Amino acid sequence: MKSFCIFSNSIEYKTYHSISEIDSFWDNFLPENHHLKSTNLKVLENAQLPHIQYKYLVIEDNKIPIGIAYLQLLNFNSSHYNNEILNKPKLEKIKDYILKKHTNVLICGNLFRCDFQGFYFKNAENKHVILDVVKHFAKKNEFKIKFTGALIKDCESDFDKKHISEFCYKPFADDIIMQLCVNNQWNSFEDYQNELSRKYAQRSKKIRNHKNEIESKDLDLLAVQENATLLEKLYLNVASKQPIKMGVLNAKYFIEMKRIWANNFKVIGYYIEKELVAFSSFITGTDKVEIHYIGFDYAQNEKHKLYFNIIFDGLEMAILDKKQKLSLGRTALEAKASAGAKPIYVTNYIWTKLGLPTLVYNFFNKYFKNNASNEWQTRHPFK
């Protein structure tokens, strides 16, 4: 099923509702091993996550395909944020009203992956077209969905200021992904420890001593399926602590990732006295290991330093597999900086409708800036 929209004299786009409708063309259009290949996108379709839909656009100029775009349509509601955000004196009278409200947000990209630009053009000079396409889709889509805003996520390069202004977007450049570069001279985790200052080396050894209390298992597809409900519960333990959750995963997501990605997606279970108390998922690429989603029991984490051991396990995996870097994601900046990770700044572009949507965006933006800690910047673990 597809629809056809025209928004300029020569530029038009077709909308597809499932990647299976167009996977052959889609994959042939992209470069080899591109992250937007259909197998990567099928995971989320198959997982059937709540409150989210997916659309696939083919962009044409004079009937000739010039680009593609991957869209996620998120119904954002009170399940996606921690209600403590609303515990402000000025919001007390309208808190109950806000909790009942929901809105639709359009995302070009993947909410559940880092470094995952949601569009591709054969000629990079055409990339500014995505600004118009996304905004047009948000305002004119045939599904009659009213979007309060749109996010173009994880852009690989900046747009020209002229185009940003023309289409009324705001750049959001404060987004950080923590990344640890792996020294090609390291052949073991001990080599990494030898590069740490005395204080951090002692700390890492104490953390690794807790590994003696933990049994870790590489879960195959059958084991992921058997433990899927518990994996979801452990994931939600961690996710619920986040002020904002732009989308929530489910048990089926981890099953689909393991089924489709196979050996390139590892799920490591952590057991205390034969009880699964934590897990971490790892994605392996050509040059990096990415610590994907994790989950744990907070009481057991406090006793056995599960979180820090997950970070160190990811680093050890990257070292042994001769990868160049370990990607650690967007949260817990101080902990990751303490392991030696550095920030990679990512640019996103945001468009919001005037009025209440803009006010809400400004509120959340101000909230995060006021509550963001810069303590991570003081962490320098290497000699």
Side-chain angles (χ1 to χ4, degrees):
M1 182 179 180
K2 61 186 178 183
S3 62
F4 196 68
C5 293
I6 301 176
F7 65 93
S8 79
N9 292 333
S10 63
I11 302 294
E12 50 199 26
Y13 61 87
K14 298 175 183 176
T15 306
Y16 296 82
H17 310 312
S18 172
I19 191 62
S20 62
E21 299 176 49
I22 195 178
D23 52 3
S24 180
F25 165 82
W26 187 276
D27 288 340
N28 288 331
F29 188 83
L30 290 164
E32 188 176 358
N33 298 321
H34 196 275
H35 62 267
L36 284 175
K37 290 287 189 177
S38 64
T39 51
N40 294 339
L41 307 184
K42 285 177 181 176
V43 168
L44 288 166
E45 268 199 39
N46 295 345
Q48 299 176 320
L49 301 179
H51 312 301
I52 193 164
Q53 302 177 52
Y54 312 96
K55 304 299 175 188
Y56 310 87
L57 307 187
V58 176
I59 304 162
E60 299 179 349
D61 187 357
N62 288 316
K63 310 296 183 183
I64 299 174
I66 62 169
I68 59 175
Y70 171 59
L71 304 182
Q72 296 183 339
L73 288 58
L74 174 68
N75 183 260
F76 185 83
N77 55 60
S78 59
S79 69
H80 295 110
Y81 57 86
N82 191 321
N83 294 344
E84 293 179 5
I85 292 177
L86 303 179
N87 291 334
K88 307 289 181 184
K90 293 181 180 180
L91 297 177
E92 193 62 38
K93 293 182 179 180
I94 61 172
K95 178 178 177 180
D96 289 342
Y97 171 78
I98 294 174
L99 289 173
K100 295 176 183 177
K101 300 299 288 182
H102 64 90
T103 189
N104 295 300
V105 182
L106 181 65
I107 296 95
C108 179
N110 189 342
L111 289 170
F112 307 100
R113 292 292 304 276
C114 295
D115 195 20
F116 201 100
Q117 181 175 276
F119 62 90
Y120 171 77
F121 288 88
K122 289 282 190 183
N123 184 345
E125 292 182 0
N126 291 322
K127 71 173 186 175
H128 66 278
V129 172
I130 196 64
L131 298 168
D132 202 357
V133 168
V134 169
K135 189 173 179 181
H136 182 275
F137 186 98
K139 299 175 76 172
K140 305 289 186 180
N141 67 89
E142 80 274 18
F143 319 107
K144 308 300 181 183
I145 298 174
K146 294 182 179 180
F147 292 98
T148 56
L151 168 67
I152 302 178
K153 183 176 176 287
D154 292 348
C155 295
E156 294 172 355
S157 59
D158 294 343
F159 288 101
D160 188 284
K161 291 182 180 179
K162 178 186 71 174
H163 293 130
I164 299 170
S165 176
E166 179 183 354
F167 299 114
C168 302
Y169 283 84
K170 295 178 181 178
F172 182 76
D174 295 331
D175 193 10
I176 292 175
I177 296 173
M178 297 300 282
Q179 180 176 282
L180 200 161
C181 291
V182 179
N183 189 322
N184 59 15
Q185 299 298 313
W186 296 344
N187 295 308
S188 66
F189 186 79
E190 288 71 26
D191 290 339
Y192 155 78
Q193 287 181 313
N194 290 337
E195 295 292 320
L196 299 174
S197 66
R198 184 171 179 273
K199 170 186 172 182
Y200 284 95
Q202 289 179 337
R203 173 181 172 273
S204 72
K205 289 174 183 177
K206 288 180 180 178
I207 290 170
R208 285 319 247 178
N209 284 339
H210 283 278
K211 282 279 284 184
N212 298 326
E213 308 158 0
I214 306 166
E215 181 185 6
S216 59
K217 297 180 183 178
D218 188 347
L219 306 183
D220 61 14
L221 177 58
L222 180 59
V224 172
Q225 291 171 327
E226 291 175 342
N227 291 281
T229 301
L230 182 51
L231 294 177
E232 179 181 310
K233 179 182 177 181
L234 293 169
Y235 155 76
L236 290 174
N237 283 348
V238 176
S240 64
K241 300 289 186 182
Q242 299 302 317
I244 295 287
K245 303 180 289 293
M246 291 291 283
V248 181
L249 297 177
N250 58 15
K252 197 171 181 181
Y253 174 82
F254 297 103
I255 295 172
E256 287 300 306
M257 281 293 289
K258 186 60 181 176
R259 185 178 68 81
I260 291 177
W261 282 68
N263 292 333
N264 289 326
F265 181 71
K266 289 184 178 293
V267 180
I268 305 298
Y270 296 86
Y271 294 79
I272 304 293
E273 297 179 354
K274 298 185 178 180
E275 179 185 358
L276 181 62
V277 297
F279 80 93
S280 182
S281 55
F282 301 91
I283 296 174
T284 56
T286 55
D287 66 341
K288 70 177 180 181
V289 171
E290 173 189 330
I291 297 183
H292 196 42
Y293 286 95
I294 69 170
F296 49 73
D297 178 291
Y298 271 87
Q300 296 288 4
N301 176 59
E302 188 68 26
K303 291 180 184 177
H304 304 286
K305 307 301 180 187
L306 295 168
Y307 180 65
F308 288 106
N309 271 300
I310 287 171
I311 292 178
F312 288 152
D313 282 352
L315 177 56
E316 186 169 31
M317 187 184 300
I319 292 170
L320 296 178
D321 290 349
K322 294 298 180 182
K323 304 299 183 183
Q324 298 174 18
K325 51 197 174 185
L326 173 69
S327 180
L328 292 161
R330 291 176 156 92
T331 60
L333 303 185
E334 186 177 344
K336 292 164 183 175
S338 295
K342 299 292 184 182
I344 303 295
Y345 289 88
V346 179
T347 300
N348 306 306
Y349 292 90
I350 298 169
W351 167 79
T352 55
K353 285 186 177 179
L354 296 176
L356 184 59
T358 296
L359 292 175
V360 171
Y361 164 73
N362 290 338
F363 166 76
F364 281 118
N365 192 28
K366 184 177 180 181
Y367 172 86
F368 280 110
K369 286 185 177 179
N370 290 343
N371 288 274
S373 170
N374 292 322
E375 187 65 24
W376 61 272
Q377 297 180 2
T378 66
R379 305 303 182 189
H380 305 289
F382 292 112
K383 293 176 183 176

